[in-house]
């Protein structure tokens, strides 16, 4: 971590340690992380500890946050950054949790330039330098059905990673050993093929929501990468390969 000195991190990890019983009750029952190696699990616990220390959780519309619920969110939030480092989540601090889907009023411009006020129900939302907002019922749903290719926490935090280079456009800051034009070509063509397939026959090999914008494509394939990597690999093997190079993880081998 760039902003904290090593001895301070060690102190912080001791001082704010997640109690063993709490850790086991959550980590042992979260299918998303059941195939992690012992050393990855230990690192996940460290990251979750720092995440819980750095971020402020608050409940909205009567939702009460608790140590258990915060840990459930934290564990899923830090899994994608296990090889990227905690710095990936610097620059913002708040997580707001609603009991269920929440409604927002948005202005949206249609193709003819007319602005409409839309009332939308959302399961999650991520502001580029602001809070992450989650629906708890969605988080619970993902725990009951962990291999569906859906995970609202991973989806919203993928938007956070995407926004790190200033634009939420489906391309997070890539590593020096990656190639921007290769990424754009591979993800861009997969995105177009998905759109064409939906248009032609209404069929989609992954959640059709991925076809609504490049940023949503990246967030949705991140969900598949961590919860249903085989589906992503079968549908878009080159996309899976780019994702494993970006996240520096191989969920398929777990
Ligand atoms: Zn999204």
């Amino acid at each position: 971590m760039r902003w904290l000195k090593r001895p301070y991190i060690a102190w912080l990890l001791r001082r704010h340690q997640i109690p063993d019983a709490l850790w086991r009750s959550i980590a042992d029952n979260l299918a998303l992380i059941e195939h992690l190696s012992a050393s990855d699990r230990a690192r996940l616990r460290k990251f979750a500890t720092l995440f819980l220390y750095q971020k402020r959780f608050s409940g909205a519309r009567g939702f009460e946050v608790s140590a258990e619920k915060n840990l459930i969110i934290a564990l899923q939030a830090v899994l994608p950054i296990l090889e990227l480092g905690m710095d990936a989540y610097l620059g913002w601090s708040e997580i707001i949790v609603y009991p269920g889907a929440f409604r927002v009023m948005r202005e949206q411009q249609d193709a003819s330039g007319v602005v409409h006020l839309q009332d939308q129900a959302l399961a999650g939302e991520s502001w580029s330098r602001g809070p992450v907002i989650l629906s708890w019922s969605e988080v619970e749903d993902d725990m009951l059905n962990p291999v569906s290719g859906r995970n609202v926490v991973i989806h919203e935090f993928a938007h956070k990673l995407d926004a790190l280079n200033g634009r939420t456009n489906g391309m997070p800051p890539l590593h020096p050993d990656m190639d921007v034009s290769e990424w754009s070509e591979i993800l861009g063509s997969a995105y177009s093929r998905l759109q064409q397939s939906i248009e032609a026959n209404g069929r989609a090999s992954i959640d059709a929501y991925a076809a609504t914008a490049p940023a949503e494509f990246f967030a949705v394939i991140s969900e598949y990468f961590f919860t249903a990597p085989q589906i992503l690999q079968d549908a878009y093997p080159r996309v899976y390969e780019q994702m494993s190079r970006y996240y520096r993880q191989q969920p398929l081998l777990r």
Side-chain angles (χ1 to χ4, degrees):
M1 293 170 83
R2 208 180 303 136
W3 59 284
L4 291 177
K5 295 245 185 314
R6 242 167 229 285
Y8 180 58
I9 295 176
W11 173 83
L12 211 152
L13 287 171
R14 275 197 309 277
R15 175 86 174 70
H16 295 274
Q17 210 179 89
I18 300 166
D20 281 337
L22 172 63
W23 170 258
R24 278 197 304 273
S25 72
I26 305 297
D28 290 353
N29 292 302
L30 205 57
L32 183 66
I33 62 163
E34 73 181 338
H35 298 298
L36 286 188
S37 67
S39 64
D40 280 349
R41 269 171 84 95
R43 203 142 40 93
L44 196 78
R45 185 170 176 172
K46 272 187 199 169
F47 275 36
T49 309
L50 295 170
F51 185 89
L52 290 166
Y53 172 75
Q54 286 172 5
K55 306 302 178 198
R56 190 173 60 252
F57 287 76
S58 53
R61 207 158 295 143
F63 183 79
E64 287 191 33
V65 295
S66 68
E68 288 81 7
K69 291 170 186 159
N70 294 358
L71 181 56
I72 287 168
I73 292 170
L75 271 180
Q76 301 180 72
V78 298
L79 176 64
I81 61 163
L82 208 52
E83 303 296 334
L84 302 178
M86 285 299 294
D87 282 355
Y89 289 158
L90 285 182
W92 59 276
S93 61
E94 197 175 16
I95 294 159
I96 302 169
V97 190
Y98 281 80
F102 49 96
R103 303 201 77 84
V104 291
M105 295 293 270
R106 286 285 148 71
E107 284 188 337
Q108 243 162 16
Q109 204 168 26
D110 66 20
S112 54
V114 180
V115 175
H116 302 274
L117 193 60
Q118 288 194 325
D119 183 11
Q120 298 175 312
L122 300 179
E125 187 170 43
S126 171
W127 294 62
S128 52
R129 295 197 69 77
V132 170
I133 309 170
L134 297 166
S135 148
W136 180 253
S137 62
E138 207 74 21
V139 176
E140 270 188 325
D141 238 31
D142 294 339
M143 283 193 295
L144 296 174
N145 188 12
V147 287
S148 62
R150 288 202 50 129
N151 185 293
V152 67
V153 177
I154 289 176
H155 182 106
E156 299 310 330
F157 282 83
H159 283 316
K160 279 285 179 207
L161 298 172
D162 186 0
L164 280 174
N165 47 13
R167 299 172 308 275
T168 312
N169 59 358
M171 186 171 71
L174 302 180
H175 307 299
D177 64 346
M178 294 182 73
D179 189 69
V180 170
S181 54
E182 201 182 0
W183 172 281
S184 307
E185 188 266 306
I186 292 172
L187 271 77
S189 84
Y191 177 65
S192 309
R193 274 183 287 141
L194 180 65
Q195 282 187 323
Q196 283 159 10
S197 159
I198 293 169
E199 235 165 75
N201 52 32
R203 263 190 236 136
S205 40
I206 58 170
D207 185 354
Y209 188 63
T212 56
E216 298 309 334
F217 186 75
F218 174 68
V220 170
I221 60 176
S222 294
E223 295 178 74
Y224 279 90
F225 184 73
F226 289 104
T227 68
Q230 192 62 59
I231 296 177
L232 182 63
Q233 160 83 16
D234 291 346
Y236 306 110
R238 296 174 77 209
V239 169
Y240 176 87
E241 202 251 330
Q242 288 294 309
M243 294 293 273
S244 65
R245 289 177 66 187
Y246 170 64
Y247 283 113
R248 292 174 164 158
Q249 297 191 42
Q250 284 286 6
L252 261 185
L253 303 181
R254 278 174 197 149

